[in-house]
Amino acid sequence: MKNKIIMFWAIVILTIISIVVIKVKPIPLGLDLVGGSRIVLEAQTTGNIAKITQDMMDGLKSALENRINALGVSETMVQQMGEKRLLIEIPNVSDPKLAREFLGETAELEFKKPIINEDGDAIGWEASGLSGEDLNKAAVGTDTSGRWMITLDFNAKGAAKFEKLTREFKGYPIAIYFNGDSISEPVVQQEISGGKAQITGDFTIEQAKKIVNLLNAGALPVPAKIIEENTVGPTLGADSLEKSKIAGIIGLGAVMLFMLFWYRVPGFIANIALVIYSLIVFAIFKLVPVTLTLAGIAGFILSIGMAVDANILIFERTKEELKAGRTLFTAINSGFDRAFTSIFDSNMSTIITCAILYFLGSNIVKGFALTLAIGVIVSMFSAITVTKNFMHLMFGTGQLKHPALFGLREEDINEAYEVAETKREKAKFGVLD
């Protein structure tokens, strides 16, 4: 009993923590609920690119996803349309123009060495083979005078190139170009090893951040042009969200009434466990965080049904044990033990399906799969741990004196106990049926 009480308070504490998380942390919503930008890009052929291949499109998709992540936007969708177009949906973007410019930038960083004439003067620039492809990471910083600058961390190959460049052109300027424009022409004071460099200039914090984000996201493997752009308003999303709330409340209420009517006190316990389950799942959604879309909400509501289904299996098994003459403690334990295999098998099948959908599906399908998987995993905890603990604490270990509490008839229990008592009496005298 002591362990049961400890588990009870652990569940109470977990529930309180979940409520606090739900109150404190916001939950991000998808494009279909809060609106945002929808952009269509088309890969462009150039003098060097005669045909757009699937590998190019995969690379372009990956680069654009990295750029959108740099914007700090979650639950975006980048999906290929046809042979050379990509559909991009970005939820909750307050400045669509920023997104459009950010996605269209080429992010080409290039270091150019000086052309030295016979008199030792720099008269022009030429490529030195050092570019953004040699970068590990870029970051925003400030120099000793407080001006914004960009710090560069080269990979091993880039570090070797940069060291050689600064060694050969000590005392001369090196030009740093970004997207074809010179942004800095620092004079090399000494040979620089270790792969660290700085770009100083008259940057604002916004300009420095934009360059850094583009460099970290990587250059586009193929030029892309925005051919269509529109803004999705939040009105439709707000209406859909409100209808989803109403549907969820009606569905949850109907399920709770059914459980209360059919299973009486165990049904009441299941309803409490269902509320605790919902709080824990929603708190996990906020902690991950999971961006909610209409598909994600559907996955959550479906997982509620599966949580109730587990309780139904357990209670039906428990009723069968009570009809067989078992004591409350034995019947409850046997009901949970015998139902566990069915619950585990069905839930594992669902989780495997969710994993397949998550790794192979589109972003919208991933949202559905993730919320359903989280819900199913937590439902196993709520059904096996929460419901079982509350059942033991409420009913104890004795005989069932009021069968109606379990939705059973008096004669069902009395007949079962009489048969069980007769078997026990016969067993005392070694009489076997």
Side-chain angles (χ1 to χ4, degrees):
M1 179 60 70
K2 183 178 178 181
N3 292 336
K4 298 294 181 184
I5 294 175
I6 292 174
M7 179 58 69
F8 170 79
W9 284 112
I11 294 169
V12 171
I13 292 171
L14 181 60
T15 304
I16 294 172
I17 292 173
S18 298
I19 293 172
V20 172
V21 171
I22 292 171
K23 287 287 186 181
V24 172
K25 289 186 69 68
I27 188 165
L29 301 176
L31 179 72
D32 53 354
L33 297 180
V34 295
S37 295
R38 183 178 285 120
I39 299 171
V40 177
L41 284 91
E42 184 177 74
Q44 304 292 305
T45 56
T46 63
N48 298 326
I49 303 174
K51 182 180 179 182
I52 304 298
T53 65
Q54 186 57 45
D55 287 341
M56 291 179 182
M57 293 301 297
D58 292 340
L60 180 61
K61 179 181 177 182
S62 178
L64 290 172
E65 286 175 341
N66 289 336
R67 291 191 174 193
I68 294 169
N69 291 334
L71 275 174
V73 181
S74 56
E75 195 64 20
T76 58
M77 184 186 76
V78 182
Q79 184 177 357
Q80 185 168 345
M81 300 171 57
E83 294 183 357
K84 56 180 182 178
R85 290 186 179 182
L86 291 176
L87 170 65
I88 303 170
E89 292 185 346
I90 311 174
N92 205 22
V93 174
S94 58
D95 188 357
K97 182 181 178 182
L98 172 64
R100 182 175 66 248
E101 292 178 351
F102 196 77
L103 292 175
E105 289 273 13
T106 53
E108 293 179 354
L109 179 70
E110 187 178 14
F111 289 76
K112 294 187 177 183
K113 61 186 180 182
I115 301 173
I116 311 299
N117 62 15
E118 295 178 355
D119 298 326
D121 298 324
I123 59 173
W125 311 103
E126 64 179 344
S128 64
L130 184 63
S131 67
E133 295 181 358
D134 298 306
L135 274 181
N136 256 341
K137 184 181 179 182
V140 177
T142 55
D143 60 17
T144 54
S145 62
R147 293 182 304 173
W148 296 107
M149 68 177 184
I150 299 166
T151 61
L152 304 176
D153 181 11
F154 292 103
N155 56 30
K157 186 178 178 181
K161 290 181 182 179
F162 188 64
E163 184 176 355
K164 180 182 178 183
L165 187 65
T166 55
R167 182 172 61 248
E168 291 181 357
F169 295 96
K170 182 178 178 181
Y172 289 97
I174 293 176
I176 304 173
Y177 279 73
F178 184 75
N179 288 344
D181 297 324
S182 175
I183 60 173
S184 182
E185 296 178 5
V187 176
V188 179
Q189 303 294 335
Q190 60 183 3
E191 179 182 334
I192 303 174
S193 60
K196 306 291 184 181
Q198 298 175 352
I199 304 176
T200 57
D202 191 18
F203 297 120
T204 64
I205 180 61
E206 291 78 15
Q207 289 171 333
K209 283 183 176 180
K210 181 179 179 182
I211 292 173
V212 164
N213 286 337
L214 286 168
L215 290 176
N216 287 331
L220 299 180
V222 59
K225 178 182 179 183
I226 295 176
I227 61 172
E228 182 182 332
E229 178 192 7
N230 55 69
T231 301
V232 179
T235 304
L236 178 62
D239 182 61
S240 300
L241 183 60
E242 190 62 30
K243 288 181 179 179
S244 298
K245 287 180 181 178
I246 295 172
I249 292 171
I250 293 174
L252 188 61
V255 167
M256 285 184 165
L257 287 175
F258 168 78
M259 295 297 290
L260 197 60
F261 171 77
W262 194 256
Y263 295 105
R264 312 298 167 81
V265 175
F268 175 74
I269 293 174
N271 289 342
I272 295 175
L274 194 60
V275 172
I276 294 174
Y277 156 83
S278 300
L279 292 173
I280 294 173
V281 171
F282 205 57
I284 292 174
F285 285 171
K286 291 197 170 190
L287 287 173
V288 170
V290 174
T291 301
L292 276 187
T293 61
L294 287 176
I297 293 174
F300 173 54
I301 293 175
L302 180 58
S303 70
I304 291 177
M306 298 190 70
V308 174
D309 183 57
N311 283 309
I312 290 174
L313 288 173
I314 292 167
F315 294 158
E316 287 297 336
R317 285 286 191 177
T318 302
K319 287 169 69 173
E320 290 176 5
E321 296 298 317
L322 290 171
K323 289 180 181 180
R326 305 288 192 273
T327 63
L328 267 172
F329 184 81
T330 305
I332 291 171
N333 282 342
S334 297
F336 277 85
D337 293 341
R338 294 189 175 186
F340 177 77
T341 303
S342 299
I343 295 170
F344 181 81
D345 289 348
S346 64
N347 285 348
M348 283 305 300
S349 299
T350 303
I351 291 171
I352 291 171
T353 303
C354 288
I356 295 171
L357 291 174
Y358 185 84
F359 288 108
L360 299 181
S362 65
N363 278 28
I364 299 300
V365 175
K366 285 182 179 180
F368 170 81
L370 183 59
T371 55
L372 179 57
I374 292 174
V376 168
I377 293 170
V378 177
S379 74
M380 292 182 68
F381 166 78
S382 69
I384 303 302
T385 303
V386 178
T387 306
K388 186 177 183 179
N389 182 266
F390 286 4
M391 290 272 284
H392 277 312
L393 288 176
M394 182 166 287
F395 290 108
T397 60
Q399 299 290 345
L400 180 61
K401 296 180 180 179
H402 304 286
L405 295 178
F406 266 80
L408 295 171
R409 298 177 304 169
E410 291 277 353
E411 51 267 32
D412 291 336
I413 301 300
N414 292 335
E415 290 175 4
Y417 283 151
E418 288 176 5
V419 172
E421 186 63 28
T422 301
K423 289 183 178 180
R424 283 192 289 270
E425 289 294 329
K426 289 183 177 180
K428 288 182 181 179
F429 300 100
V431 179
L432 299 176
D433 291 334

